Amino acid sequence: MTTPEALDPQACWQAVLARDRAWDGVFVTGVLTTGIYCRPSCPARHPARGNVRFFADGAAAQEAGLRACLRCRPDDLARDAAAVAGAIAMIKEAEEAPALAQLAAQAGYSPAHFQKLFTRHTGLSPAAYARALRQRRMGDALAGAGSVTEAIHAAGYGAPSRFYAESARLGMAPSAWRNGGAGVTIRWAQVATSLGPMLVAATDKGVCRLSFGEGEAALRARFPKADLVPGSGEFAALLDAVVDAVEVPGRADHIPLDVAGTAFQEAVWRQLQAIPPGETRSYAQIAAAVGKPGAVRATGSANGANHVSVLIPCHRVVRSDGSLGGYAWGLEIKRELLERERP
């Protein structure tokens, strides 16, 4: 449970002003003049900041003499959380991913409403959550199974064709994944940029590594069984596009990527890609955007696990007080990237 001391009043107030549903369940807003408490996303007119106090939950607000808002019904959140937890349990126990209609019926919601509710709580749709779960199990199974076919069935795929239809998300072929990248060809180059030496590496599917101050030794340590080949031919065109994205930071959606992480990491990375150039977000805002407002520290870890700096713009995440926070390649590079993106 969130304690009153753990609540950041400024972050809470910003969530109220934005009516950010991702913060529902993290705290309630007490309006001292009316004697009620609301969800952060309550559609009612905003009270004056001086009349507001934030509470960890409805029970704490009630102890202060407040009653629940009849419009946004903040105490119904427990039902929402239970519905999502029940759906997650159903997905984990099922051999085949349950249909959205099944999950919604179990929860007692319409499919459209439950889709939004589940996504708000987990950062993924029910279908994406089920895929991520199967893929995580597949990665674990490939590491210990005697064959790829055994791993496919152990991960919950009804047939090999189902796995191969989704296998592009793993970033490597199944056997290569199982053997730590063996058999995968990675083309790479180290180029001079205005930010210093930059390493770019890519598989046939896209860029799998972008870093500063690293060379072949670091790349080989990360992919010890891959076939590392100096880039040429089509790689040169990809390299030019990457260099352009670094020298003139902006949108890099056109550059293909080959990265994979946990479901939570990938949800964080999608949010990073959604930050417009010239803007920043706090770690707390990113955590809230993926439906895990209490996971600020885990969000920072997912941010740091980004393999393709700049292309997934982790430099656009700062601390709640506006300070830069950390950056794997040094604060000077982070500061310069942000400066270049200023309108």
Side-chain angles (χ1 to χ4, degrees), residues 47-65:
R49 176 66 182 89
N51 298 330
V52 168
R53 181 181 168 193
F54 302 110
F55 298 89
D57 52 33
Q62 290 172 22
E63 288 181 5

mmCIF file of all heavy atoms in Angstrom, residues 47-65:
data_model
loop_
_atom_site.group_PDB
_atom_site.id
_atom_site.type_symbol
_atom_site.label_atom_id
_atom_site.label_comp_id
_atom_site.label_asym_id
_atom_site.label_seq_id
_atom_site.Cartn_x
_atom_site.Cartn_y
_atom_site.Cartn_z
ATOM 1 N N PRO A 47 -11.014 21.174 -8.048
ATOM 2 C CA PRO A 47 -11.054 22.081 -6.895
ATOM 3 C C PRO A 47 -9.812 22.977 -6.884
ATOM 4 O O PRO A 47 -8.860 22.758 -7.637
ATOM 5 C CB PRO A 47 -11.031 21.117 -5.701
ATOM 6 C CG PRO A 47 -10.261 19.933 -6.210
ATOM 7 C CD PRO A 47 -10.626 19.808 -7.668
ATOM 8 N N ALA A 48 -9.814 23.974 -6.028
ATOM 9 C CA ALA A 48 -8.618 24.800 -5.862
ATOM 10 C C ALA A 48 -7.544 23.972 -5.167
ATOM 11 O O ALA A 48 -7.849 23.153 -4.285
ATOM 12 C CB ALA A 48 -8.951 26.041 -5.037
ATOM 13 N N ARG A 49 -6.299 24.178 -5.573
ATOM 14 C CA ARG A 49 -5.202 23.370 -5.024
ATOM 15 C C ARG A 49 -5.125 23.472 -3.505
ATOM 16 O O ARG A 49 -4.837 22.490 -2.822
ATOM 17 C CB ARG A 49 -3.865 23.835 -5.650
ATOM 18 C CG ARG A 49 -2.636 23.131 -5.074
ATOM 19 C CD ARG A 49 -2.653 21.654 -5.419
ATOM 20 N NE ARG A 49 -1.521 20.940 -4.858
ATOM 21 C CZ ARG A 49 -1.499 20.385 -3.642
ATOM 22 N NH1 ARG A 49 -2.582 20.478 -2.866
ATOM 23 N NH2 ARG A 49 -0.452 19.734 -3.216
ATOM 24 N N GLY A 50 -5.428 24.641 -2.963
ATOM 25 C CA GLY A 50 -5.334 24.815 -1.524
ATOM 26 C C GLY A 50 -6.373 24.046 -0.736
ATOM 27 O O GLY A 50 -6.234 23.883 0.483
ATOM 28 N N ASN A 51 -7.416 23.560 -1.416
ATOM 29 C CA ASN A 51 -8.482 22.809 -0.742
ATOM 30 C C ASN A 51 -8.302 21.300 -0.853
ATOM 31 O O ASN A 51 -9.186 20.544 -0.467
ATOM 32 C CB ASN A 51 -9.848 23.189 -1.330
ATOM 33 C CG ASN A 51 -10.179 24.642 -1.121
ATOM 34 O OD1 ASN A 51 -9.750 25.247 -0.135
ATOM 35 N ND2 ASN A 51 -10.931 25.234 -2.046
ATOM 36 N N VAL A 52 -7.158 20.897 -1.388
ATOM 37 C CA VAL A 52 -6.946 19.472 -1.689
ATOM 38 C C VAL A 52 -5.897 18.864 -0.764
ATOM 39 O O VAL A 52 -4.878 19.490 -0.438
ATOM 40 C CB VAL A 52 -6.492 19.316 -3.161
ATOM 41 C CG1 VAL A 52 -5.973 17.905 -3.430
ATOM 42 C CG2 VAL A 52 -7.647 19.631 -4.098
ATOM 43 N N ARG A 53 -6.176 17.625 -0.367
ATOM 44 C CA ARG A 53 -5.185 16.828 0.363
ATOM 45 C C ARG A 53 -5.207 15.429 -0.242
ATOM 46 O O ARG A 53 -6.273 14.921 -0.613
ATOM 47 C CB ARG A 53 -5.543 16.773 1.854
ATOM 48 C CG ARG A 53 -4.550 15.978 2.688
ATOM 49 C CD ARG A 53 -4.987 15.951 4.138
ATOM 50 N NE ARG A 53 -4.218 14.984 4.912
ATOM 51 C CZ ARG A 53 -4.552 14.575 6.133
ATOM 52 N NH1 ARG A 53 -5.642 15.061 6.722
ATOM 53 N NH2 ARG A 53 -3.812 13.690 6.763
ATOM 54 N N PHE A 54 -4.036 14.807 -0.354
ATOM 55 C CA PHE A 54 -3.941 13.497 -0.985
ATOM 56 C C PHE A 54 -3.820 12.404 0.071
ATOM 57 O O PHE A 54 -3.094 12.561 1.054
ATOM 58 C CB PHE A 54 -2.741 13.446 -1.940
ATOM 59 C CG PHE A 54 -2.811 14.494 -3.014
ATOM 60 C CD1 PHE A 54 -1.935 15.578 -3.008
ATOM 61 C CD2 PHE A 54 -3.780 14.423 -3.999
ATOM 62 C CE1 PHE A 54 -2.020 16.555 -3.972
ATOM 63 C CE2 PHE A 54 -3.870 15.400 -4.976
ATOM 64 C CZ PHE A 54 -2.993 16.474 -4.962
ATOM 65 N N PHE A 55 -4.543 11.294 -0.167
ATOM 66 C CA PHE A 55 -4.555 10.164 0.763
ATOM 67 C C PHE A 55 -4.161 8.894 0.020
ATOM 68 O O PHE A 55 -4.419 8.755 -1.187
ATOM 69 C CB PHE A 55 -5.940 9.982 1.386
ATOM 70 C CG PHE A 55 -6.396 11.160 2.207
ATOM 71 C CD1 PHE A 55 -7.097 12.199 1.601
ATOM 72 C CD2 PHE A 55 -6.114 11.237 3.562
ATOM 73 C CE1 PHE A 55 -7.519 13.288 2.343
ATOM 74 C CE2 PHE A 55 -6.530 12.326 4.313
ATOM 75 C CZ PHE A 55 -7.233 13.361 3.703
ATOM 76 N N ALA A 56 -3.561 7.961 0.756
ATOM 77 C CA ALA A 56 -3.116 6.716 0.131
ATOM 78 C C ALA A 56 -4.285 5.887 -0.386
ATOM 79 O O ALA A 56 -4.165 5.189 -1.388
ATOM 80 C CB ALA A 56 -2.274 5.900 1.107
ATOM 81 N N ASP A 57 -5.411 5.951 0.297
ATOM 82 C CA ASP A 57 -6.571 5.147 -0.117
ATOM 83 C C ASP A 57 -7.829 5.713 0.520
ATOM 84 O O ASP A 57 -7.787 6.672 1.309
ATOM 85 C CB ASP A 57 -6.381 3.673 0.258
ATOM 86 C CG ASP A 57 -6.004 3.475 1.719
ATOM 87 O OD1 ASP A 57 -6.465 4.263 2.565
ATOM 88 O OD2 ASP A 57 -5.250 2.524 2.015
ATOM 89 N N GLY A 58 -8.963 5.087 0.182
ATOM 90 C CA GLY A 58 -10.236 5.554 0.698
ATOM 91 C C GLY A 58 -10.343 5.451 2.205
ATOM 92 O O GLY A 58 -10.944 6.313 2.855
ATOM 93 N N ALA A 59 -9.765 4.394 2.775
ATOM 94 C CA ALA A 59 -9.834 4.214 4.225
ATOM 95 C C ALA A 59 -9.161 5.382 4.942
ATOM 96 O O ALA A 59 -9.685 5.892 5.947
ATOM 97 C CB ALA A 59 -9.174 2.898 4.614
ATOM 98 N N ALA A 60 -8.013 5.815 4.433
ATOM 99 C CA ALA A 60 -7.315 6.943 5.049
ATOM 100 C C ALA A 60 -8.131 8.225 4.921
ATOM 101 O O ALA A 60 -8.169 9.046 5.845
ATOM 102 C CB ALA A 60 -5.944 7.128 4.400
ATOM 103 N N ALA A 61 -8.790 8.397 3.790
ATOM 104 C CA ALA A 61 -9.625 9.583 3.597
ATOM 105 C C ALA A 61 -10.826 9.551 4.530
ATOM 106 O O ALA A 61 -11.232 10.590 5.083
ATOM 107 C CB ALA A 61 -10.078 9.660 2.139
ATOM 108 N N GLN A 62 -11.404 8.369 4.719
ATOM 109 C CA GLN A 62 -12.551 8.253 5.623
ATOM 110 C C GLN A 62 -12.164 8.564 7.059
ATOM 111 O O GLN A 62 -12.943 9.175 7.813
ATOM 112 C CB GLN A 62 -13.141 6.853 5.509
ATOM 113 C CG GLN A 62 -13.850 6.592 4.194
ATOM 114 C CD GLN A 62 -14.253 5.146 4.008
ATOM 115 O OE1 GLN A 62 -14.375 4.402 4.978
ATOM 116 N NE2 GLN A 62 -14.444 4.742 2.761
ATOM 117 N N GLU A 63 -10.954 8.168 7.447
ATOM 118 C CA GLU A 63 -10.486 8.478 8.794
ATOM 119 C C GLU A 63 -10.373 9.988 9.016
ATOM 120 O O GLU A 63 -10.483 10.472 10.146
ATOM 121 C CB GLU A 63 -9.121 7.829 9.040
ATOM 122 C CG GLU A 63 -9.185 6.312 9.200
ATOM 123 C CD GLU A 63 -7.817 5.705 9.459
ATOM 124 O OE1 GLU A 63 -6.848 6.491 9.601
ATOM 125 O OE2 GLU A 63 -7.718 4.474 9.510
ATOM 126 N N ALA A 64 -10.149 10.716 7.920
ATOM 127 C CA ALA A 64 -10.065 12.173 8.003
ATOM 128 C C ALA A 64 -11.443 12.824 7.911
ATOM 129 O O ALA A 64 -11.547 14.054 7.862
ATOM 130 C CB ALA A 64 -9.165 12.709 6.894
ATOM 131 N N GLY A 65 -12.508 11.993 7.857
ATOM 132 C CA GLY A 65 -13.863 12.511 7.853
ATOM 133 C C GLY A 65 -14.462 12.756 6.488
ATOM 134 O O GLY A 65 -15.504 13.409 6.376
#
